[in-house]
């Protein structure tokens, strides 16, 4: 997608992209954590994050992106799957059916009373898989020429 | 509302099927995209539309829209993205290897061995 | 799960460990480990003799599918125990033999013993199951293990041919039998054999009596290689010799006999039962012995001889049914047929087992089984020769071996046909002793051929692939044990009478036992100058004469053209059905994806419309519905127009943009439908996928502007309108028929209490229906891996110039 990077060096797009990237990332993380209570969650958060990364990819090029954010997205996919699988499995050690989630309320400093879920860990797995898959697809196609 | 959406679904399905039956791989992929839109709307419509508030618990609200079709469709959207991407790459690679995007010309190229 | 069940399943439980033992302990022949299983089982089952000979049975039940009446009921009675002892006893000897027969460094013993144990467990299951469905399951398992064992040397064309043939024929029979079982169940209401026996009168009155009987007999006849299904057995000889000795002479082929014996109480009142079994058995006896004489392969002779002997036992089981129709003296003389059947079954296992092992030794030490090359081995292989003589003469029915005793009883049973004044047996039934006599003559001839041509005559060692010498002692022990049994049982046959034969016969005649009739089993050599003794003498005289003039009459075998033989018909049927299937397939499998899609779409629509018509669902009643706001009309119109416009686009970019328009509009619709999560997801997905489309389409050619035929377009249009209308009707139907309340009421009520969340959609995704989500991300990951491999693994393979290796679609 950045084959013409040499000729077209779009300063406006690149400057704006960096700013927008952070806005989207923050928004997506918010979406991810808010998922249990208001619209959002792992899928949407992950897609939003991926969209932010795609924006950077379009504005700069894949090499720059790889230098700034050195993630291996395939490993990220695998990590996400492992996390989701482990959080699904944990309940069988407590004699509960597969995929039973647990939650409890904690009084955390600064944040006040908060509920912590194992479901959020499962959702984190989903989040990572979605980012990993989307970016793997985009990157492989982008690099294929 | 539901009748109107049903008609939209019918038209989307029709266009999708027509595209899928054509010979060009590109048009087939676009057809699958349309078909998945139709399917998503169909699942939602079958569950009933607008019967209540958005399915997020708010104090004092008792009528919510059915959350299950929404969850199913959300899954379906993401899956159809994955499948569409797969199709696209398949078409792209098929074109590179066989130099055509016409599926009738592709016939038999694999089983020639 | 009782000890008995564990015993039946022990071979199956042991099988998974064999490959590991084979790999881990290369220095010790795997057979030694396997040997433990049959030996332990033999000792275990041996203890049951006391129980069954006292007339008791052992029953243990494990519930499997109680709602369907399918339970694993292990049932040990005289008949089952006899077979269990044969299976484990011969099994132990065969495993011991195979240790010396199969080279541990050259053969894949891991596979071999797994198959063998699989067979052993399956066979035990067949003979010790009371539930017919469970028995059927084990029955087919024996066919599968037999298939695997025949095809053990799968690199040989003949092995694969033989394996497939046996599989096709026995599984055909097995399926027929399953049909018979289902019919019997529908009459009796139970799958238990004991219930069927108890309700025998009910079955006899049923209009499906004959159908059930013939279907069950098909199973028995295919398994026991009765004419005309015997053709698989000679080809099964491609299996390693221990397998032939075990499966294809001593045990598996007797499963059919077991089935006939087991089902006798159910069917044997019928004249048809007696006639079918007796005539098929007798003809098989003749046909097998007649064909055995022309074979040149030692194993071929033994194969046809097995066919023939199985026919002999089968005909005896058929004639035994006459005992039910005879209520004269206390000493029921027709029962002798059944007693002879059981006795000969044991005898056959001993002499035929030893003969097979003997042939294996000859093959192993000389490198050939062709009697035209063999000869004069007596001097170099004296022990093997002795075994061969004992086995052959017992098979030929000469004293003082056990074969003589059962053969005499067989001839006696056939001559009794004259005095049977029912079922027209005293007229046309005369053929039975005549055919039996002719068959016995041929049996005598091929028995002579086996040891005369192999061990006597001119030695021509220079023609043999190997220099012959006596086999190692371990290889000689198993056939020697069997040969000793042949002699011992010949002299003291009555050790078996009350321990094994009587209980087995009693389980075949439950009604006679119930009415107080005593089963007397008394076997002895000298009956006086009876007709059967004259017949034996006649057989010996005529047989010897014909053996020495064999070259003069061998010509009769050349008169049957190959096409008319059963093998020719079998091959022809296979070829024909292959061709027919291809022709049929080519009619609709055009190779064009479009045709397949048309089938799928039309079928789908047809199904939906048909079921709507069938259940009368065209009566739409929508009830109250939300009004459509003006902006919703506009948005709807946009979707409709955009999707229709795509149809007429002939270039890439506008198509993608219009697809995007549809996608974003759908996202807006999600907003109207109070589905915020969906709207968000759809928006992001649409953005990413439009980017993806652009990226890929950049590399693709323009959509070809070549004019397609109008007919093609019209056809497509008709199909697509049809499908579109169907889907619309489906949606209408769903709207107007809402008979069940949604499961999501549960989600709505429990979302906060159980999952401590407020966003129901998300909670459904990660908690209530987390399994879906788990699989979904797996699917996504698979799609990503697929894409990655399609793109990345091409360059490396291209350099090799090998296009076949590219990832499959």
């Amino acid at each position: 997608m950045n084959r013409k990077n040499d000729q077209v060096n779009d300063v406006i797009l690149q400057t704006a992209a960096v700013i927008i990237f952070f806005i989207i990332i923050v928004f997506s993380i918010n979406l991810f954590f808010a998922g249990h209570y208001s619209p959002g969650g792992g899928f949407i958060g992950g897609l939003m994050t991926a969209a932010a990364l795609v924006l950077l990819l379009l504005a700069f090029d894949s090499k720059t992106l790889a230098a700034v954010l050195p993630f291996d997205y395939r490993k990220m996919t695998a990590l996400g799957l492992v996390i989701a699988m482990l959080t699904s499995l944990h309940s069988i050690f407590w004699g509960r059916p597969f995929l039973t989630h647990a939650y409890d309320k904690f009084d955390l400093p600064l944040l006040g009373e908060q509920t912590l879920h194992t479901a959020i860990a499962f959702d984190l797995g989903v989040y990572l898989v979605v980012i990993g898959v989307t970016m793997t697809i985009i990157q492989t196609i982008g690099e294929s020429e | 509302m539901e009748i109107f959406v049903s008609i939209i679904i019918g038209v989307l399905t029709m266009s999708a099927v027509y595209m899928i039956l054509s010979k060009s791989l590109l048009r087939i992929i676009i057809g699958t995209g349309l078909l998945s839109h139709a399917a998503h709307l169909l699942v939602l419509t079958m569950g009933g539309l607008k019967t209540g508030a958005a399915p997020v618990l708010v104090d004092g609200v008792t009528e919510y829209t059915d959350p299950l079709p929404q969850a199913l469709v959300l899954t379906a959207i993401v899956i159809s993205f994955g499948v569409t991407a797969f199709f696209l790459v398949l078409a792209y690679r098929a074109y590179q290897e066989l130099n055509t995007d016409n599926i009738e010309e592709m016939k038999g190229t694999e089983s020639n061995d | 799960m009782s000890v008995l069940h564990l015993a039946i399943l022990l071979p199956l439980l042991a099988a998974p460990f064999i490959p590991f033992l084979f790999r881990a302990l290369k220095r010790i022949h795997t057979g030694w480990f396997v040997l433990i299983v049959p030996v332990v089982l033999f000792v275990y089952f041996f203890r049951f003799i006391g129980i069954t000979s006292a007339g008791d049975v052992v029953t243990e039940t494990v519930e499997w599918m109680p709602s369907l009446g399918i339970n694993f009921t292990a049932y040990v009675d005289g008949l089952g125990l006899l077979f269990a002892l044969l299976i484990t006893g011969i099994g132990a000897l065969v495993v011991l033999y195979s240790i010396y027969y199969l080279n541990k460094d050259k053969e894949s013993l891991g596979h071999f013993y797994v198959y063998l144990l699989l067979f052993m467990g399956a066979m035990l299951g067949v003979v010790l199951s009371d539930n017919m469905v469970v028995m059927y399951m084990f029955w087919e398992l024996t066919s599968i293990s037999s298939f695997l064992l025949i095809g053990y040397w799968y690199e040989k064309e003949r092995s694969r041919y033989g394996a497939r043939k046996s599989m096709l024929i026995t599984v055909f029979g097995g399926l027929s039998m399953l049909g018979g079982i289902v019919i019997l169940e529908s009459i009796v209401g139970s799958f238990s054999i004991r219930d069927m026996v108890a309700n025998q009168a009910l079955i006899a009155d049923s209009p499906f009596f004959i159908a059930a009987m013939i279907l069950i007999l098909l199973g028995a006849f295919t398994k026991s290689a009765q004419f005309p299904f015997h053709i698989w057995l000679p080809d099964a000889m491609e299996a390693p010799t221990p397998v032939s000795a075990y499966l294809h002479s001593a045990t598996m082929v007797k499963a059919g006999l077991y089935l006939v014996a087991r089902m006798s109480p159910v069917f044997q009142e019928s004249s048809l039962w007696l006639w079918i079994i007796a005539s098929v058995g007798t003809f098989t006896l003749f046909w097998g012995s007649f064909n055995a004489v022309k074979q040149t392969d030692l194993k071929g002779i033994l194969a046809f001889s097995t066919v023939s002997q199985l026919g002999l036992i089968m005909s005896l089981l058929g004639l035994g049914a006459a005992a039910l129709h005879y209520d004269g003296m206390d000493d029921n003389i027709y029962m002798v047929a059944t007693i002879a059947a059981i006795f000969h079954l044991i005898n056959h296992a001993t002499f035929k087992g030893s003969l097979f092992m003997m042939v294996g030794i000859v093959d192993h030490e000389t490198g050939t089984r062709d009697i035209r090359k063999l000869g004069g081995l007596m001097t170099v292989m004296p022990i093997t020769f002795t075994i061969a003589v004992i086995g052959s003469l017992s098979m030929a029915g000469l004293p003082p071996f056990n074969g003589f005793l059962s053969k005499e009883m067989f001839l006696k049973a056939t001559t009794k046909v004259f005095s049977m004044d029912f079922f027209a047996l005293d007229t046309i039934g005369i053929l039975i002793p005549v055919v039996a006599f002719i068959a016995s003559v041929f049996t005598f001839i091929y028995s002579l051929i086996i040891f005369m041509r192999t061990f006597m005559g001119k030695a021509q060692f220079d023609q043999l692939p190997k220099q012959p010498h006596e086999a190692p002692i371990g290889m000689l022990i198993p056939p020697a044990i069997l040969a000793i049994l042949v002699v011992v049982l010949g002299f003291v046959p009555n050790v078996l009478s009350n321990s094994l034969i009587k209980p087995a016969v009693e389980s075949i005649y439950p009604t006679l036992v119930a009415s107080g009739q005593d089963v007397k089993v008394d076997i002895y050599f000298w009956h006086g100058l009876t007709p059967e003794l004259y017949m034996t003498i006649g057989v010996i005289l005529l047989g010897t004469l014909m053996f020495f003039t064999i070259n003069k009459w061998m010509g009769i075998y050349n008169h049957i053209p190959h096409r008319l033989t059963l093998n020719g018909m079998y091959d022809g049927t296979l070829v024909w059905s292959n061709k027919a299937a291809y022709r049929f397939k080519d009619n609709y499998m055009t190779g064009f994806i479009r045709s397949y899609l048309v089938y799928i779409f039309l079928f789908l629509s047809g199904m939906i419309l048909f079921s709507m018509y069938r259940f009368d669902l065209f009566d739409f009643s929508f009830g109250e519905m939300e009004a459509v706001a003006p902006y919703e009309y506009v948005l709807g119109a946009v979707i409709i127009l955009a999707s229709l416009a795509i149809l007429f686009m002939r270039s890439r970019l506008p198509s993608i943009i219009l697809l995007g328009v549809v996608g974003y509009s759908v996202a807006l619709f999600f907003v109207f439908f109070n589905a915020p999560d969906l709207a968000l997801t759809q928006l992001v997905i649409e953005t990413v996928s439009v980017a993806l489309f652009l990226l890929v389409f950049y590399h693709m050619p323009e959509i070809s502007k070549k004019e397609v035929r109008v007919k093609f377009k019209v056809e497509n249009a008709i199909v697509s309108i049809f499908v579109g209308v169907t889907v619309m009707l489906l949606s209408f139907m769903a709207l107007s028929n809402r008979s069940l309340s949604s499961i999501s009421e549960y989600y709505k009520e429990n979302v906060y209490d159980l999952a401590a969340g407020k966003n129901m959609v998300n909670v459904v995704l990660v908690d209530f229906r987390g399994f879906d989500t788990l699989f979904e991300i797996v699917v996504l990951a698979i799609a990503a891996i697929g894409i990655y491999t399609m793109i990345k693994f091409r360059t490396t393979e291209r350099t090799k110039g090998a296009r076949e290796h590219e990832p499959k679609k």
Side-chain angles (χ1 to χ4, degrees), chain A:
Chain A
M1 59 203 68
N2 342 12
R3 276 151 272 105
K4 303 181 190 106
N5 206 26
D6 302 337
Q7 302 123 23
V8 186
N9 208 344
D10 200 328
V11 181
I12 299 175
L13 177 62
Q14 292 187 353
T15 318
V18 173
I19 298 167
I20 296 170
F21 170 73
F22 282 106
I23 296 173
I24 302 179
I25 285 285
V26 170
F27 179 54
S28 71
I29 291 171
N30 173 50
L31 272 180
F32 167 64
F33 279 108
H36 230 52
Y37 297 97
S38 53
F43 279 117
I44 305 168
L47 282 168
M48 203 64 98
T49 311
L53 292 170
V54 171
L55 179 68
L56 275 192
L57 201 65
L58 289 170
F60 299 90
D61 59 288
S62 52
K63 276 192 197 115
T64 321
L65 189 68
V68 179
L69 296 167
F71 293 125
D72 183 337
Y73 293 105
R74 276 171 297 136
K75 281 186 184 146
M76 187 186 275
T77 312
L79 180 68
L81 280 179
V82 169
I83 291 175
M85 196 51 90
L86 287 181
T87 44
S88 319
L89 276 175
H90 86 273
S91 54
I92 63 170
F93 294 107
W94 309 101
R96 302 268 180 76
F98 187 69
L99 259 171
T100 311
H101 288 302
Y103 68 92
D104 205 352
K105 292 190 166 57
F106 292 94
D107 209 2
L108 296 177
L110 292 178
L111 296 171
E113 195 187 71
Q114 289 289 333
T115 319
L116 287 184
H117 298 262
T118 53
I120 203 82
F122 184 74
D123 223 10
L124 178 68
V126 176
Y127 178 79
L128 289 177
V129 171
V130 170
I131 298 178
V133 167
T134 316
M135 291 314 291
T136 310
I137 293 172
I138 299 270
Q139 260 189 348
T140 28
I141 297 176
E143 286 167 4
S144 73
E145 295 95 60

Side-chain angles (χ1 to χ4, degrees), chain C residues 452-479:
Chain C
M452 297 281 272
R453 292 283 169 81
T454 312
F455 294 96
M456 302 192 180
K458 194 158 55 70
Q460 36 187 352
F461 294 160
D462 48 327
Q463 285 203 18
L464 299 175
K466 279 187 199 170
Q467 192 56 37
H469 52 82
E470 188 60 281
I473 184 78
M475 216 166 170
L476 289 168
I477 289 175

